[in-house]
Amino acid sequence: MIAAPGTALVRIDTNVRHQSFEGWGTSLCWWAHHVGGWEEARRNAVVEAVVDPVDGLGYNVFRYNIGGGENPSHEHMKQHREMPGFQRADGTFTWESDANQRAILLRIAERGTALIFEAFSNSPPYWMTHSGCASGSSDGGDNLKAEYYDDFAHYLTEVVRHYRDEHGIVFRTLEPLNEPHASWWKSNGSQEGCHFDRASQEKIIQEVAGQLASKGLDGTVVSASDENSMDDALRNIDAFGPATLAAFEQINVHSYAGSKRKELRRLATELGKRLWQSESGPLGQDISDDTDAALFMAERIIKDLRELKPEAWVDWQSGDPSRSWASFTLDDREQSYAPIKRFYMHAGFSRYIRPGATFVEVDSEDMVAAVSADGSYLTLVARNGDRNASRGYTLDLTRLPTVGPAAEGHRTSRTEDLARLPDMAIEDYRLVVTIPAYSITTFVIPMP
């Protein structure tokens, strides 16, 4: 096929299949802890914005934070970041804790579809730590006391059991670690965190897996290790011993830092582990406005999906005081939310690439393509990061088994919020499109 004048030729090949996709998601801390305290109808409206696949984000993957619980005498964590814990120092459990996050979780369970739940921990309870503080140790080193590894695993697995037995929520995975290699988790910090060196990671992974098994919690398996850097994840997991590798079934990684996406994908495949991009956001980026945040994150998503090839892509915060991290703003006085650019950017992926889709080959680093679970359509998402010039493409569809007469389009830019475009004619398996400067466009190509 020859490209139309002034356009670049891009081939899509549905015969070259990549990861089968489980879905899109978000963690629940800290926004659910925040919004869960609103009046019921108003917090439910936020849940609809997150789970509705037509007018909302259509997310189906949710990470529930098992709070460690901070020392009651400490007052250093930022608002909404001090997550309630369930276990007192005397060993007794207080299941009435964490009512806000739980309210959101249970509403999601009522309203969402094809749901996958994960439970994760940022820190052990403060009384299990060396520093007596849930934000980290005094020097950024290991903070869980040696004699409390079994107690910490007991704590996490008891929470999993409680949610299964009392609320009917089965967490498919339980993650006892969060950015454990990082050395910035120090006492008197702004949020929960805990360093674990590699040997300590292996110890807690095996302990949690053992207690899940001994308690008959066979619906839940361990995931690890949620490193901040993909390079750290690759290095540490590649060095895990056989007993540790056998103790967990899913690799979680954050895509904030590192470059070894392809290498980590290869390792996950070799080990037979499911791989999630379990947290991301514009960490350390100079973001000047909402559109910059949307375009940056669209680039991150596309790169992750093309190179890391995760089975799920999970955002960190759907609502956050920092706009560049959020898909919607939150107004406590009115108990209301308002979508911003990242909402529409994410929806351009998540409404049209649905759970069960399979990613396929497209030979442009600025695009991803996926075939729907039923094979009835292909979704292509294209990003143009040039601030000044549009880009033209001739999409070669000859490697699709069949195509319909026209493609549907949706665009987010500085002036558009997932705006519906006029249908575009497909002629002789060729679709000619223009992506305006600094925009993200979703094309839905029927395959009847």
Side-chain angles (χ1 to χ4, degrees):
M1 181 175 290
I2 298 174
T7 70
L9 186 66
V10 173
R11 294 180 178 88
I12 304 166
D13 191 345
T14 58
N15 295 311
V16 180
R17 301 168 75 84
H18 301 300
Q19 70 272 34
S20 179
F21 200 55
E22 294 194 298
W24 308 90
T26 179
S27 69
L28 297 184
C29 79
W30 302 297
W31 70 270
H33 179 48
H34 180 176
V35 173
W38 290 1
E39 186 270 330
E40 183 178 5
R42 296 180 183 275
R43 73 183 183 226
N44 288 351
V46 179
V47 171
E48 290 299 306
V50 175
V51 303
D52 189 309
V54 177
D55 298 315
L57 293 168
Y59 286 174
N60 68 301
V61 177
F62 296 94
R63 304 185 72 225
Y64 172 81
N65 180 225
I66 301 176
E70 178 56 306
N71 189 322
S73 68
H74 289 199
E75 297 294 339
H76 50 80
M77 290 194 190
K78 290 185 178 179
Q79 187 179 23
H80 305 303
R81 294 188 183 185
E82 185 173 326
M83 300 299 291
F86 293 103
Q87 192 178 19
R88 300 186 183 97
D90 65 4
T92 58
F93 282 82
T94 57
W95 295 120
E96 66 273 15
S97 293
D98 200 28
N100 290 2
Q101 188 184 193
R102 182 167 56 252
I104 298 297
L105 175 68
L106 297 181
R107 182 61 177 177
I108 288 169
E110 290 178 358
R111 297 292 298 134
T113 57
L115 295 171
I116 301 171
F117 293 119
E118 176 170 73
F120 75 102
S121 168
N122 288 325
S123 171
Y126 76 93
W127 49 270
M128 295 185 187
T129 68
H130 289 290
S131 65
C133 179
S135 68
S137 66
S138 59
D139 60 0
D142 280 13
N143 202 27
L144 179 61
K145 290 181 178 180
E147 65 269 28
Y148 279 116
Y149 276 75
D150 57 342
D151 298 274
F152 182 38
H154 173 67
Y155 171 62
L156 296 178
T157 53
E158 282 301 294
V159 175
V160 167
R161 177 154 61 183
H162 174 79
Y163 270 90
R164 184 197 66 179
D165 294 348
E166 297 300 322
H167 301 291
I169 301 290
V170 177
F171 296 110
R172 192 178 73 177
T173 46
L174 171 58
E175 166 64 278
L177 304 161
N178 178 66
E179 299 184 353
H181 184 76
S183 59
W184 51 69
W185 303 121
K186 296 183 179 181
S187 54
N188 299 308
S190 63
Q191 63 193 71
E192 289 188 355
C194 187
H195 178 89
F196 289 84
D197 65 23
R198 189 171 66 232
S200 301
Q201 290 185 38
E202 294 199 64
K203 185 176 181 180
I204 194 61
I205 288 168
Q206 292 183 43
E207 188 67 48
V208 170
Q211 293 207 27
L212 286 172
S214 67
K215 294 178 181 180
L217 296 167
D218 52 3
T220 304
V221 296
V222 178
S223 54
S225 294
D226 272 285
E227 294 288 7
N228 173 274
S229 165
M230 293 170 283
D231 298 2
D232 289 339
L234 178 68
R235 186 181 310 110
N236 288 337
I237 293 172
D238 195 35
F240 282 171
T244 305
L245 292 175
F248 73 98
E249 295 188 15
Q250 177 174 302
I251 295 175
N252 283 357
V253 70
H254 304 173
S255 61
Y256 294 117
S259 60
K260 298 186 183 298
R261 289 174 171 84
K262 295 178 181 178
E263 294 86 346
L264 187 56
R265 173 71 264 176
R266 281 197 293 269
L267 179 62
T269 301
E270 290 169 4
L271 296 174
K273 308 293 186 188
R274 186 189 304 116
L275 176 60
W276 275 13
Q277 188 299 111
S278 53
E279 182 182 320
S280 199
L283 182 68
Q285 301 299 312
D286 183 15
I287 303 293
S288 60
D289 61 30
D290 292 348
T291 306
D292 280 352
L295 267 290
F296 173 81
M297 288 308 301
E299 181 180 35
R300 171 73 56 78
I301 292 169
I302 290 171
K303 192 173 185 69
D304 287 348
L305 293 174
R306 289 180 61 85
E307 297 184 10
L308 186 66
K309 295 182 171 63
E311 280 85 12
W313 198 97
V314 184
D315 198 12
W316 170 231
Q317 286 285 282
S318 291
D320 189 87
S322 174
R323 289 179 70 101
S324 64
W325 286 79
S327 292
F328 43 75
T329 59
L330 300 170
D331 185 327
D332 284 323
R333 186 175 63 84
E334 298 292 333
Q335 294 193 351
S336 63
Y337 75 97
I340 52 180
K341 284 292 179 186
R342 273 192 60 176
F343 177 93
Y344 298 105
M345 177 278 295
H346 282 293
F349 290 90
S350 58
R351 289 184 191 175
Y352 306 102
I353 300 175
R354 301 298 301 151
T358 300
F359 284 92
V360 297
E361 185 68 13
V362 53
D363 62 352
S364 169
E365 65 182 13
D366 295 315
M367 301 180 187
V368 290
V371 175
S372 63
D374 64 2
S376 66
Y377 64 93
L378 178 139
T379 301
L380 177 80
V381 183
R383 175 189 180 273
N384 180 2
D386 191 312
R387 294 175 182 268
N388 301 305
S390 63
R391 293 177 180 171
Y393 297 99
T394 296
L395 302 181
D396 179 350
L397 308 179
T398 56
R399 291 171 177 83
L400 275 63
T402 183
V403 295
E408 175 185 316
H410 306 264
R411 178 175 296 134
T412 296
S413 65
R414 288 201 183 278
T415 59
E416 298 161 296
D417 293 330
L418 203 60
R420 175 66 187 267
L421 308 175
D423 286 355
M424 292 154 276
I426 300 171
E427 299 179 351
D428 297 325
Y429 283 79
R430 185 174 86 156
L431 176 61
V432 180
V433 300
T434 299
I435 313 297
Y438 220 48
S439 66
I440 309 105
T441 306
T442 302
F443 301 97
V444 181
I445 298 168
M447 296 168 53

